[in-house]
Amino acid sequence: MEKDDLKVLNKGGEDEMELRGYRLCRWRLALVGLGVLCTGGFILLLLYWMPEWCVKSTCTRSTARDAQVVLMRSTDEFRRWFLAKVRVILAPGRNPFHSLETQTTSPSPSSCPTPPSASPPLANGYTPHPSDGSPAQELIRRYADYQPTQIRYFTLHSTKYYWNDELQNFEVLTGLEDLQISCSTLHSEHSAGLSRSQQEYRRLFFGVNEIAVKVPSLFKLLIKEVLNPFYIFQFFSVILWSIDEYYYYAVAIVFMSVISIATSLYTIKKQYVMLHDMVATHSIVRVSVCRANNDIEEIMSTDLVPGDVVVIPGNGTIMPCDAVLVSGTCIVNESMLTGESVPVTKTNLPNPVPGEKEAEADSAYSTEEHKRHTLFCGTNVIQTRFYTGELVKAVVVRTGFSTAKGQLVRSILYPKPTDFKLYRDAYLFLLCLVAVAGIGFIYSIVLSIMNEVPAKTIIIESLDIITITVPPALPAAMTAGIVYAQRRLKRIGIFCISPQRINICGQLNLVCFDKTGTLTEDGLDMWGVQRAENGRFLLSEENAYKESLVKTQFVACMATCHSLTKIEGELSGDPLDLKMFEATGWILEEATEEETSLHNRIMPTVVRPPKQLLPPEPAVAPDQDMELYELSSTYEIGIVRQFPFSSALQRMSVVARLLGEKRMDAYLKGAPEMVASLCKKETVPENFAQVLEDYTKQGFRVIALAHRRLESKLTWHKVQNINRDHIETNMEFLGLIIMQNKLKPETPKVLQDLHEANIRTIMVTGDNMLTAISVARDCGMIPPQDTVIIADALTPRDGMAAKITWRYADKPSKTPRLEEVAITLQDVCHIDEPKTQEQYHFAMNGKTFAVIAEHFPDMLQKLVLHGTVFARMAPDQKTQLIEALQGVDYYVGMCGDGANDCGALKRAHGGISLSELEASVASPFTSRTPNISCVPSLIREGRAALITSFCVFKFMALYSIIQYISVTLLYSILSNLGDFQFLFIDIAIILLIVFTMSLNPAWKELVPRCPPSGLISGPLLFSVLTQILICLGFQTIAFLWVRQQSWYKSCSLHTNPCNLSSYGNDSDHNIQNYENTSLFYVSSFQYLIVAIVFSKGKPFRQPSYKNWPFVLSTISLYAFLLFIMFHPVHIIDEFLEIVDVPFEWRFKLLVVILVNAAASVLMETFVLDVVLWKLVFSRDKQGSFGATPAAPTPQGGIDLWGYRCLSWLCCRRKMTPKARYMHLAQELSVDPDWPPKPTTTTEAKPCPDNCSAYQIMINS
């Protein structure tokens, strides 16, 4: 049983893990210790790199409950291993939410017997919580009369997992949400505060309320960096070179490594310090908490625990925890979390009065569902609204790393590895190089034994082969291109906090865009209003700023139903609310703190029209009281209660009272369909749907208004605690506000560029469906001639299965401007597609998306293949859509304004926020330019960085192989390259070239072709293998040809027929000979040849001749090599250990080098780029709109037969697309029932064997 004791942590969560328990085994520990001594510490390094080996070699399996060590493995695609030590604390209780007061107010020995040995374990056996202080120990002593409970826990990624006996598993204690308490219970049982002892008891479990980003010391960082496998390999290489007396090269490598490590340490330390400073700012403050006996006590924010009641100061504060408001209102800036700097109004949590209807509405408290009532950690409370005798109070729900800010910091501290084919292939490629090195290793051993070479020399030279094959400068070389790309992005106003993602952005073939503020202008312009009276629409009016409308409920709704507030005398809030309120011309006034304290039940916010709009009042009678007259002539509305806008509910409402009136009014605004559903049917015009459709088709943003006169029994206090569902019902429909959301001028051009580059574009918005379709047509996302299929899904009800109804949206009648754009798009985007096939796009709203995701999972993949408009999408649905697109192998980009798109921006392969905040941590990329022109720029730079990475990797691989070939050939005559020859090649040639070849800027425009995603791909493997064969061939020719020359004399270790003076001790290595000199010249030129051949420009990078540092470096090196080749300089020859050869041979070597260059260039530029790319590798080309392009017709002088032969030779298997979306597109292209026909219904029917799949029935 123990062996099967597998637990699952965080089930269903993003960080789900499998857990197994282990106990330390002494004899295994002893064996491992012995192995470490015998291998000089190498086994210790292996166990450090491999946590699973470490645990399995030193421990035996046990149950999770009794484990001393736990081994975890993530269940995601990365399957990472983690280990943690299980610790034990002693506490008076097992559950942090149990009340100790009732159990321990009068402890007596008779009621709770204590064993004699209870005290010593408490004093000695208690392992203090890492963040506990003396109060916790004092607490345990206070309850020492009770049997202490052992609490087992472990810490992973700043999260504590506690053992739960009921669940028989480890679980995370997040806070009050663990209790799943209702809103009314939170008010009744948790709003009084905690006693000091309860607070100390809970702190045992929840720890100190602190998001501690510990900046590691330089020594710790150094040890961690140096223990990297690559640096260990370098350390081994340096020792080997030193033994072999390659001192200069060894020193050069040490110098390079020190610079690399120092740079890395500086960068890591800087990032830690920046994150620490960002988190530490205002994270520890003094707060006022309410105690259970109604006292107010001032404590440090680090002492807060879930359940504490904090008092929010009137002048604002930075929130040190997540807390839910139970009284009062707050204006909060949440830009730190969302990137959106618009102030948000937070109201107190509803407290439903006990009753039948309220019981249904009294849902369990959740930070996500009730975020409009929750103050999140790290957000700035600007100001508060409060009433006489009532403080603004909030109950702490989460602390430390469990808070919203804590989770954000955790995601930065412990990011998921970037899953990108390039990095996986790089490891495979290195393994191939190691295999090649292994062959050389065996070859050199066999050869040396045959030639009776001393054992010491055999060992050194055999191991030397391995150090040559794996290039030491590879990590630095690979990083250079990304660093250069990051700098170029910064210059154009794009800031990056995750540089590894720049390469991934080069693969993006689909981009999702938010609509409002991204594709369209952020602000809305009032187009007009259309009021409704007695169930009929009146004629539309241009504005509501009229004397005749000033006292209508329609204008009153416009003036009151918003969340605007005055900050430093300026109106601030949602741009839509601001535009709507400004259209009325009314004035907003807020009560000052002094007024609030003087008057009882004062209205926090008052709105009134300007005097010039009010009708003239009759003259005052002499006997009339002046004050009464002024009161009767004043027209003011006070806002009593706000129910803030919720994207899930798609509406907001307020309760207001007209000055002098006894009864209150409720005003509602929101999505027209939602508002109409909450109104009395007789008040909604019959042609409502038609009028709404007319406006939305034209691309207008439409908002509906409604009003209701509340019952006189609803008092001020009742309104403060009533649920919004009781207010937002039986409303009277007032009419529509029509707002114009103009496209940003850059939008159509950018989308056209993306279409031309075969990059799909999708709109994901919270706006109305028809408005979104209209904007999609306006900006060219949907060409005018294409069909839009709207999917409407219904959930299963009354025994009926879930259904999808398909209807075709009307095409626009006249769109001359768009038609012109569309022709261009059609010509460019669909070159390879049959012209007769009509393009179609799916559109759906959030509700439909949710139903399809749940009941039609197989169909969801088909729909996202051609889905273009996703409207009324909630923030979490945007994230689900990104995941669905990634599920069919799209590389997905997301561009949003940072407000509702945080989850999607993080989840996408390349998320770019248009927030103005430079330091936005919600997105990998942040653009200072507030339009989507940054998207093509990011993709272009990503493609350039990706191609640069390929170029550098190929060059470094060839550098290793060329040097390997030279050394292997020289080993056959018991020779080698000289110390200074190695030094010249590695420093003067390789480092100079590799750091300058990465400087090519991105190509000025996006091209339809997409770069390869990995190193293990046809074109790249063909390129590398052909260049290796060419280099091998010409080095072998030079090596054999020199031995055929008439003047050639063999040089050996014991003779020196070359008539050369000894240079130090190098004669021991037989360096100076004709073969060495010939191979040195040929290989030096080969490095430069492959550098030029691999340093490609168009279509992803600027041509190499525009990269002047690279051009200057190559020309200088060519000039130097030609100079020393044809004009020998004694000092240089002596330094590089080159022998003097006849001029005739030098000329022959030049011919070999020129033919080598011609062969390399011909193979790379003509055979690979022209023939094979167009004929064989073109199958990887991305199709537009998810469709697979047909095989291109062979052009020029190459006929169809040649195309088929090449295809058969290079890829004998059937050309099946690798990407799932292309495979799906092929399947759907031959499906007669796809796309669904208009006015048909698709039903989900369970399979006969009750499986989870569904049969699709189509009924016309």
Side-chain angles (χ1 to χ4, degrees):
M1 279 299 287
E2 284 186 2
K3 288 186 179 178
D4 299 327
D5 188 34
L6 177 71
K7 305 292 181 187
V8 179
L9 296 180
N10 311 315
K11 195 163 189 178
E14 203 175 83
D15 50 354
E16 185 180 272
M17 290 178 290
E18 295 167 346
L19 177 143
R20 290 178 175 86
Y22 289 85
R23 292 188 72 83
L24 287 169
C25 176
R26 288 182 182 177
W27 67 266
R28 288 192 181 197
L29 273 170
L31 274 178
V32 169
L34 188 66
V36 169
L37 286 172
C38 295
T39 58
F42 182 68
I43 284 182
L44 203 61
L45 277 172
L46 273 180
L47 298 184
Y48 171 77
W49 294 331
M50 305 282 191
E52 70 276 24
W53 290 9
C54 178
V55 173
K56 288 173 182 176
S57 61
T58 57
C59 304
T60 53
R61 283 295 305 274
S62 74
T63 59
R65 188 186 187 284
D66 302 319
Q68 292 176 317
V69 176
V70 288
L71 181 65
M72 290 152 285
R73 193 176 194 185
S74 63
T75 55
D76 56 18
E77 66 271 29
F78 305 107
R79 305 291 284 163
R80 292 170 297 160
W81 292 93
F82 306 101
L83 67 88
K85 187 180 177 184
V86 178
R87 300 180 186 276
V88 178
I89 59 169
L90 295 173
R94 190 170 292 281
N95 190 323
F97 298 110
H98 284 169
S99 174
L100 294 178
E101 298 299 312
T102 54
Q103 305 169 23
T104 60
T105 45
S106 55
S108 63
S110 58
S111 63
C112 189
T114 307
S117 61
S119 281
L122 282 173
N124 305 318
Y126 169 63
T127 306
H129 202 282
S131 54
D132 287 343
S134 57
Q137 295 175 356
E138 190 183 322
L139 177 77
I140 293 176
R141 285 197 294 274
R142 194 181 304 161
Y143 297 110
D145 295 323
Y146 295 87
Q147 179 65 42
T149 308
Q150 279 197 347
I151 309 292
R152 306 175 68 82
Y153 76 96
F154 67 88
T155 306
L156 179 71
H157 292 168
S158 301
T159 303
K160 287 189 173 62
Y161 293 82
Y162 289 91
W163 177 257
N164 185 322
D165 271 329
E166 290 177 18
L167 296 176
Q168 284 293 300
N169 199 356
F170 287 95
E171 63 169 354
V172 181
L173 296 176
T174 53
L176 276 188
E177 283 179 287
D178 295 339
L179 295 174
Q180 295 184 333
I181 49 173
S182 63
C183 297
S184 58
T185 309
L186 202 148
H187 273 280
S188 60
E189 295 178 16
H190 295 272
S191 59
L194 302 175
S195 66
R196 196 176 283 107
S197 57
Q198 279 179 315
Q199 187 191 53
E200 288 166 2
Y201 171 58
R202 286 189 186 182
R203 201 158 61 247
L204 273 176
F205 295 88
F206 293 105
V208 169
N209 173 35
E210 185 181 21
I211 302 168
V213 179
K214 292 178 182 174
V215 180
S217 65
L218 275 173
F219 179 74
K220 278 187 179 176
L221 287 173
L222 178 66
I223 295 298
K224 193 175 180 182
E225 189 72 15
V226 167
L227 290 181
N228 182 301
F230 186 79
Y231 287 121
I232 296 295
F233 175 74
Q234 277 197 340
F235 179 68
F236 160 75
S237 303
V238 166
I239 291 171
L240 187 70
W241 294 327
S242 301
I243 293 168
D244 203 20
E245 298 174 7
Y246 289 171
Y247 297 120
Y248 296 102
Y249 188 49
V251 169
I253 290 299
V254 168
F255 180 70
M256 274 171 48
S257 299
V258 166
I259 290 175
S260 176
I261 289 169
T263 309
S264 181
L265 288 184
Y266 172 76
T267 310
I268 294 167
K269 180 89 173 177
K270 189 180 173 185
Q271 286 174 347
Y272 267 113
V273 169
M274 281 174 65
L275 186 61
H276 176 269
D277 292 348
M278 182 193 85
V279 172
T281 309
H282 307 297
S283 63
I284 299 175
V285 292
R286 294 196 74 82
V287 291
S288 298
V289 294
C290 300
R291 291 291 175 214
N293 52 5
N294 291 326
D295 287 344
I296 304 290
E297 184 185 335
E298 201 173 79
I299 62 168
M300 295 303 292
S301 59
T302 48
D303 294 332
L304 290 173
V305 294
D308 269 327
V309 176
V310 294
V311 178
I312 311 294
N315 57 351
T317 184
I318 302 280
M319 286 301 295
C321 58
D322 287 356
V324 58
L325 271 173
V326 287
S327 66
T329 306
C330 292
I331 312 295
V332 185
N333 184 337
E334 294 188 325
S335 60
M336 189 268 163
L337 292 179
T338 64
E340 185 61 57
S341 55
V342 174
V344 181
T345 303
K346 301 280 185 173
T347 57
N348 59 307
L349 189 74
N351 183 15
V353 181
E356 291 177 14
K357 290 184 180 178
E358 283 81 354
E360 293 173 17
D362 191 14
S363 58
Y365 169 75
S366 152
T367 49
E368 185 57 40
E369 191 181 330
H370 298 97
K371 63 183 176 186
R372 283 291 182 177
H373 314 291
T374 306
L375 303 170
F376 292 103
C377 179
T379 58
N380 185 8
V381 178
I382 302 166
Q383 59 190 46
T384 61
R385 296 274 177 272
F386 56 95
Y387 313 101
T388 306
E390 284 195 33
L391 295 168
V392 178
K393 295 179 184 178
V395 179
V396 177
V397 287
R398 297 186 300 197
T399 58
F401 275 99
S402 297
T403 61
K405 184 179 177 182
Q407 288 168 359
L408 188 63
V409 172
R410 272 186 68 227
S411 70
I412 298 168
L413 277 175
Y414 314 104
K416 268 193 171 183
T418 310
D419 180 32
F420 191 38
K421 205 166 180 291
L422 171 67
Y423 303 125
R424 278 181 280 140
D425 289 354
Y427 285 114
L428 284 172
F429 218 91
L430 280 174
L431 284 174
C432 292
L433 290 179
V434 170
V436 170
I439 295 166
F441 177 78
I442 295 163
Y443 162 78
S444 64
I445 290 174
V446 172
L447 198 68
S448 299
I449 291 170
M450 286 169 66
N451 285 284
E452 299 178 359
V453 175
K456 180 190 172 185
T457 312
I458 292 175
I459 293 167
I460 290 171
E461 293 194 344
S462 303
L463 292 173
D464 201 25
I465 279 276
I466 295 171
T467 64
I468 286 167
T469 316
V470 181
L474 184 63
M478 293 288 284
T479 308
I482 296 172
V483 171
Y484 297 147
Q486 194 175 359
R487 284 182 186 170
R488 288 195 296 268
L489 285 171
K490 196 172 182 181
R491 280 201 292 271
I492 57 173
I494 300 173
F495 299 90
C496 172
I497 61 166
S498 181
Q500 295 83 7
R501 287 186 184 250
I502 296 175
N503 269 343
I504 302 176
C505 288
Q507 276 293 306
L508 296 183
N509 49 18
L510 183 149
V511 184
C512 298
F513 292 97
D514 182 35
K515 184 179 78 69
T516 310
T518 305
L519 297 172
T520 60
E521 295 288 355
D522 209 358
L524 293 159
D525 296 319
M526 277 289 293
W527 182 86
V529 296
Q530 185 141 17
R531 295 186 300 125
E533 283 182 8
N534 303 320
R536 296 182 66 184
F537 275 120
L538 305 177
L539 292 173
S540 61
E541 297 162 273
E542 196 174 327
N543 61 58
Y545 188 76
K546 294 178 182 176
E547 193 178 308
S548 58
L549 299 180
V550 72
K551 289 192 176 182
T552 59
Q553 296 291 3
F554 187 90
V555 172
C557 186
M558 285 177 71
T560 57
C561 198
H562 52 71
S563 56
L564 300 176
T565 185
K566 275 196 172 177
I567 297 171
E568 295 179 359
E570 289 288 321
L571 268 182
S572 182
D574 186 272
L576 185 147
D577 286 351
L578 208 53
K579 216 72 176 175
M580 182 183 75
F581 183 74
E582 285 171 355
T584 63
W586 283 40
I587 298 153
L588 182 139
E589 290 176 352
E590 289 180 334
T592 62
E593 286 184 36
E594 291 78 13
E595 288 172 324
T596 307
S597 59
L598 288 171
H599 302 283
N600 192 27
R601 300 180 188 173
I602 192 164
M603 306 302 178
T605 306
V606 172
V607 291
R608 56 182 174 79
K611 287 183 180 177
Q612 60 266 33
L613 277 183
L614 289 169
E617 295 292 333
V620 57
D623 58 339
Q624 193 172 347
D625 188 344
M626 195 68 187
E627 282 190 21
L628 284 172
Y629 169 76
E630 282 181 4
L631 191 65
S632 64
S633 65
T634 305
Y635 188 81
E636 285 185 356
I637 303 175
I639 300 168
V640 179
R641 175 90 196 270
Q642 278 183 3
F643 296 101
F645 176 78
S646 162
S647 49
L649 299 174
Q650 299 177 1
R651 63 182 184 267
M652 83 159 286
S653 60
V654 293
V655 176
R657 177 189 274 161
L658 181 64
L659 191 66
E661 287 282 335
K662 287 184 180 179
R663 289 171 70 178
M664 299 185 195
D665 296 276
Y667 295 103
L668 174 79
K669 83 165 195 290
E673 307 94 330
M674 177 57 71
V675 172
S677 69
L678 298 170
C679 291
K680 297 173 186 172
K681 282 187 179 178
E682 62 270 19
T683 66
V684 180
E686 287 181 12
N687 60 341
F688 166 78
Q690 183 59 46
V691 170
L692 176 62
E693 193 172 331
D694 288 344
Y695 282 125
T696 51
K697 274 184 183 175
Q698 295 173 62
F700 290 117
R701 176 87 179 265
V702 184
I703 293 149
L705 306 182
H707 160 259
R708 175 185 159 200
R709 194 98 162 128
L710 296 178
E711 301 82 4
S712 55
K713 66 177 181 179
L714 272 177
T715 61
W716 184 87
H717 271 296
K718 282 183 180 175
V719 165
Q720 295 310 312
N721 296 314
I722 198 166
N723 192 294
R724 70 188 293 170
D725 292 342
H726 297 283
I727 299 290
E728 297 167 348
T729 184
N730 288 325
M731 308 290 285
E732 291 180 10
F733 188 78
L734 293 176
L736 305 172
I737 297 176
I738 300 100
M739 306 190 95
Q740 200 170 13
N741 197 195
K742 294 176 184 173
L743 278 176
K744 288 183 178 177
E746 302 84 4
T747 297
K749 176 69 173 71
V750 170
L751 292 178
Q752 183 179 347
D753 290 345
L754 293 173
H755 277 279
E756 288 175 359
N758 278 347
I759 295 170
R760 259 188 77 189
T761 52
I762 285 177
M763 186 189 294
V764 193
T765 177
D767 207 346
N768 174 280
M769 165 91 73
L770 294 172
T771 303
I773 292 171
S774 170
V775 171
R777 286 198 186 276
D778 283 351
C779 66
M781 197 176 275
I782 300 175
Q785 69 276 12
D786 287 4
T787 305
V788 176
I789 305 170
I790 298 173
D792 288 318
L794 294 171
T795 52
R797 60 178 69 178
D798 304 326
M800 299 288 285
K803 290 182 181 179
I804 307 174
T805 306
W806 310 96
R807 57 191 174 91
Y808 283 32
D810 297 334
K811 289 186 183 179
S813 52
K814 289 184 180 180
T815 49
R817 182 179 63 80
L818 286 174
E819 211 167 304
E820 189 182 339
V821 175
I823 290 166
T824 315
L825 287 178
Q826 186 71 9
D827 289 344
V828 177
C829 286
H830 312 303
I831 289 169
D832 300 325
E833 294 177 9
K835 297 289 181 188
T836 52
Q837 187 184 353
E838 187 182 13
Q839 288 293 339
Y840 57 92
H841 306 256
F842 288 109
M844 66 189 79
N845 59 26
K847 284 181 181 176
T848 297
F849 180 81
V851 172
I852 292 172
E854 186 180 351
H855 299 284
F856 301 86
D858 295 337
M859 183 173 280
L860 184 63
Q861 291 192 346
K862 298 177 184 178
L863 289 175
V864 297
L865 202 65
H866 287 263
T868 303
V869 174
F870 295 85
R872 296 282 186 230
M873 295 285 276
D876 60 323
Q877 288 179 324
K878 291 183 180 183
T879 311
Q880 289 166 18
L881 174 64
I882 299 286
E883 288 170 349
L885 291 164
Q886 289 171 338
V888 289
D889 295 342
Y890 275 114
Y891 282 97
V892 185
M894 172 73 196
C895 183
D897 59 4
N900 295 320
D901 312 312
C902 291
L905 288 167
K906 276 172 152 181
R907 187 66 192 156
H909 289 110
I912 183 162
S913 166
L914 302 186
S915 164
E916 291 176 7
L917 299 170
E918 252 184 55
S920 173
V921 289
S923 169
F925 299 94
T926 305
S927 172
R928 195 185 273 167
T929 314
N931 59 61
I932 63 168
S933 60
C934 57
V935 174
S937 302
L938 179 62
I939 297 173
R940 284 190 301 105
E941 287 297 346
R943 287 181 172 186
L946 185 59
I947 291 299
T948 298
S949 295
F950 289 142
C951 292
V952 168
F953 203 97
K954 284 161 64 180
F955 174 69
M956 294 303 283
L958 257 293
Y959 145 62
S960 297
I961 296 296
I962 290 168
Q963 202 168 76
Y964 170 79
I965 292 166
S966 303
V967 171
T968 309
L969 288 171
L970 289 173
Y971 272 12
S972 67
I973 59 162
L974 304 181
S975 181
N976 200 350
L977 288 173
D979 199 351
F980 288 101
Q981 288 176 341
F982 273 124
L983 198 66
F984 174 76
I985 290 167
D986 289 316
I987 307 296
I989 298 181
I990 303 305
L991 285 187
L992 194 62
I993 291 297
V994 87
F995 287 119
T996 55
M997 77 188 295
S998 305
L999 287 167
N1000 289 38
W1003 186 245
K1004 53 185 178 287
E1005 59 190 36
L1006 282 172
V1007 295
R1009 203 168 94 190
C1010 207
S1013 60
L1015 287 163
I1016 314 297
S1017 63
L1020 290 169
L1021 283 178
F1022 180 85
S1023 171
V1024 170
L1025 291 172
T1026 51
Q1027 294 301 327
I1028 287 172
L1029 290 173
I1030 289 167
C1031 292
L1032 173 64
F1034 283 98
Q1035 278 202 52
T1036 309
I1037 288 167
F1039 180 77
L1040 296 175
W1041 198 8
V1042 72
R1043 299 167 74 93
Q1044 305 301 318
Q1045 301 305 307
S1046 56
W1047 44 263
Y1048 173 82
K1049 289 178 185 177
S1050 177
C1051 295
S1052 71
L1053 287 170
H1054 310 293
T1055 62
N1056 192 7
C1058 304
N1059 300 318
L1060 296 165
S1061 59
S1062 288
Y1063 185 76
N1065 296 323
D1066 290 325
S1067 57
D1068 295 344
H1069 296 292
N1070 187 22
I1071 303 300
Q1072 293 173 305
N1073 53 58
Y1074 297 125
E1075 290 92 343
N1076 171 290
T1077 301
S1078 301
L1079 289 181
F1080 173 73
Y1081 281 135
V1082 172
S1083 65
S1084 295
F1085 277 103
Q1086 282 181 341
Y1087 297 127
L1088 296 174
I1089 290 163
V1090 294
I1092 291 167
V1093 163
F1094 286 158
S1095 187
K1096 292 182 180 178
K1098 194 178 175 182
F1100 305 116
R1101 303 195 308 166
Q1102 295 279 2
S1104 291
Y1105 62 78
K1106 289 190 177 182
N1107 178 357
W1108 65 265
F1110 177 69
V1111 172
L1112 198 65
S1113 302
T1114 47
I1115 290 173
S1116 302
L1117 285 166
Y1118 268 124
F1120 176 76
L1121 287 169
L1122 287 169
F1123 174 74
I1124 64 169
M1125 190 171 164
F1126 287 100
H1127 192 278
V1129 178
H1130 179 69
I1131 298 170
I1132 297 173
D1133 284 359
E1134 199 173 76
F1135 180 77
L1136 291 174
E1137 303 165 68
I1138 298 169
V1139 299
D1140 190 18
V1141 293
F1143 184 82
E1144 173 198 347
W1145 177 241
R1146 295 173 191 271
F1147 186 76
K1148 285 178 180 176
L1149 280 179
L1150 181 64
V1151 171
V1152 169
I1153 289 160
L1154 289 172
V1155 176
N1156 183 347
S1160 292
V1161 171
L1162 185 74
M1163 187 59 70
E1164 190 74 14
T1165 56
F1166 179 73
V1167 176
L1168 178 68
D1169 288 354
V1170 177
V1171 179
L1172 292 176
W1173 253 116
K1174 285 190 176 180
L1175 297 181
V1176 180
F1177 303 129
S1178 59
R1179 68 195 177 87
D1180 290 330
K1181 195 161 104 177
Q1182 312 290 353
S1184 180
F1185 294 98
T1188 311
T1193 309
Q1195 296 169 9
I1198 302 165
D1199 60 6
L1200 186 62
W1201 180 84
Y1203 161 68
R1204 283 174 179 166
C1205 283
L1206 275 169
S1207 300
W1208 184 83
L1209 283 169
C1210 297
C1211 187
R1212 291 185 64 175
R1213 71 179 188 279
K1214 187 172 172 59
M1215 290 160 71
T1216 308
K1218 292 178 186 176
R1220 287 182 67 192
Y1221 71 89
M1222 297 175 85
H1223 187 71
L1224 270 169
Q1226 273 192 351
E1227 287 181 358
L1228 293 177
S1229 64
V1230 294
D1231 187 345
D1233 295 325
W1234 195 264
K1237 304 294 181 287
T1239 65
T1240 60
T1241 303
T1242 304
E1243 285 188 13
K1245 294 283 183 188
C1247 292
D1249 56 351
N1250 295 321
C1251 62
S1252 57
Y1254 290 86
Q1255 290 180 332
I1256 309 300
M1257 309 278 295
I1258 298 182
N1259 311 312
S1260 298

